[in-house]
Amino acid sequence: MNFDYAETQQLVAASARDFALQYIQPHIMEWDEKQTFPIALFKKAGEMGFMGVLVPEIYGGSGLGYHEYIAIIEEISKIDPSIGLSIAAHNSLCTNHILTFGSDAQKNKWLPKLATGEWIGAWGLTEHNTGSDAGGMNTTAVKDGDDWIINGAKNFITHGKSGDIAVVIVRTGEKGDSHGMTAFAVEKGTLGFTSGKKEDKLGMRASETAELVFDNCRISDENRLGKVGDGFIQSMKILDGGRISIGALALGTAKGAYEAALKYAKERHQFGKPIAAFQGISFKLADMATEIEASELLLHKAAFLKNKNRKMTTLSAMSKMFASEVAVKVANEAVQIHGGYGYIKDFPVEKFYRDAKLCTIGEGTSEIQKVVISRNILK
């Protein structure tokens, strides 16, 4: 078993790190405070190959695997988790759904635009009254000749306003029927398809979150992804990979907070010595480093299974749950190590603290991950 980073992983990690330092770091607090979604940045990310990481080169993507994908999301999230979140959502949800379940014609039509960053993708499963209970969704698609008429709304959608295309899972059968939902791709500008409220959030503020609204939105059957009734099953498979994404986001967030705390603990002096010399602080740092290391190992094991197309639902849930809970814990300890300075915006840890919490909620809460894990280990 080889734990060394392959050369490709090292190269993409360095590229992502340089990109984040040059194009993201100077604007972190400005974007955070104004809730700016920096569309131009994602066009640049597309030029760098970060918007189609898993997409084959024939569609304009980078053709990389999940180990490289983790490295990219991690390095960007170490600088700004909100940008890491948007790149992760674009890659693993919308783009990957089309890549995995789209027809050849659909892939040729949409993937080159998504993989190059020309278009930004959104993905919609959650609704106002159906979060974890996705089977109870109210948004419907009714067949009308060769078209479908969609009515309803999705919320908490990353890129809900600025996305150029959204993959949405809507009800085409009975509520609660796992085969009663179907996936469709809907382009921006389609009559009856608009965006609603943009959320004012605690953290991840440079990553846009908004409603998708459908009012007698007519789309062609050519926009259907896969078979009628397969939408929920598809979305569960997409979320398997998406959990690696959020795990990578959490890993980068934890590393960013830890590295800031480590630096501060070495520089801050009290009672004539750096605070890192005190056991109370050094033990915190030891725990943080250990749990980050464990997160990374879990994630790369899940990535290994995903790359091999082996069953990895349990491990992806484990890695997502563990890494996200570690991110929250590490960010909390980083603030504590900074003391009063951890509570002000002149130091980066207060933002890591606010951003980290989303990792335990998005793409399946920690509690839902425990449901997934327990079901599988008890089979």
Side-chain angles (χ1 to χ4, degrees), residues 28-37 198 205-206:
I28 292 172
M29 293 315 296
E30 173 197 349
W31 292 342
D32 181 74
E33 288 168 4
K34 295 180 180 178
Q35 292 204 86
T36 300
F37 179 60
K198 179 180 176 179
R205 290 168 61 84

Side-chain angles (χ1 to χ4, degrees), residues 170-185:
V170 299
R171 188 160 56 81
T172 51
E174 296 300 316
K175 274 193 179 184
D177 180 3
S178 62
H179 294 282
M181 290 161 272
T182 305
F184 296 91

Side-chain angles (χ1 to χ4, degrees), residues 94-105:
C94 177
T95 304
N96 197 40
H97 200 131
I98 294 169
L99 174 64
T100 306
F101 297 108
S103 65
D104 288 342

Side-chain angles (χ1 to χ4, degrees), residues 211-329:
E211 289 178 308
L212 298 177
V213 180
F214 301 91
D215 183 9
N216 289 319
C217 175
R218 179 181 291 271
I219 59 169
S220 168
D221 189 57
E222 293 178 357
N223 287 48
R224 173 171 47 83
L225 294 164
K227 296 178 181 178
V228 174
D230 279 359
F232 183 74
I233 307 302
Q234 291 176 9
S235 65
M236 293 301 101
K237 291 178 180 177
I238 292 301
L239 287 172
D240 273 352
R243 285 165 184 154
I244 295 178
S245 278
I246 299 300
L249 168 66
L251 178 64
T253 304
K255 283 190 175 183
Y258 164 73
E259 289 173 9
L262 182 65
K263 179 176 181 290
Y264 183 83
K266 290 177 178 178
E267 294 174 351
R268 170 74 165 171
H269 282 67
Q270 293 285 272
F271 305 102
K273 55 185 175 181
I275 62 171
F278 294 98
Q279 193 176 77
I281 300 297
S282 66
F283 277 18
K284 285 183 185 294
L285 292 167
D287 285 340
M288 292 157 79
T290 301
E291 294 192 339
I292 287 170
E293 189 74 17
S295 298
E296 190 161 19
L297 290 169
L298 262 176
L299 277 165
H300 281 287
K301 185 174 181 182
F304 169 80
L305 294 176
K306 184 68 174 171
N307 283 342
K308 297 287 186 182
N309 291 315
R310 285 160 58 180
K311 189 167 179 59
M312 41 71 75
T313 299
T314 305
L315 206 65
S316 70
M318 287 177 172
S319 61
K320 191 271 185 189
M321 179 187 72
F322 188 79
S324 60
E325 293 292 342
V326 165
V328 171
K329 180 178 177 181

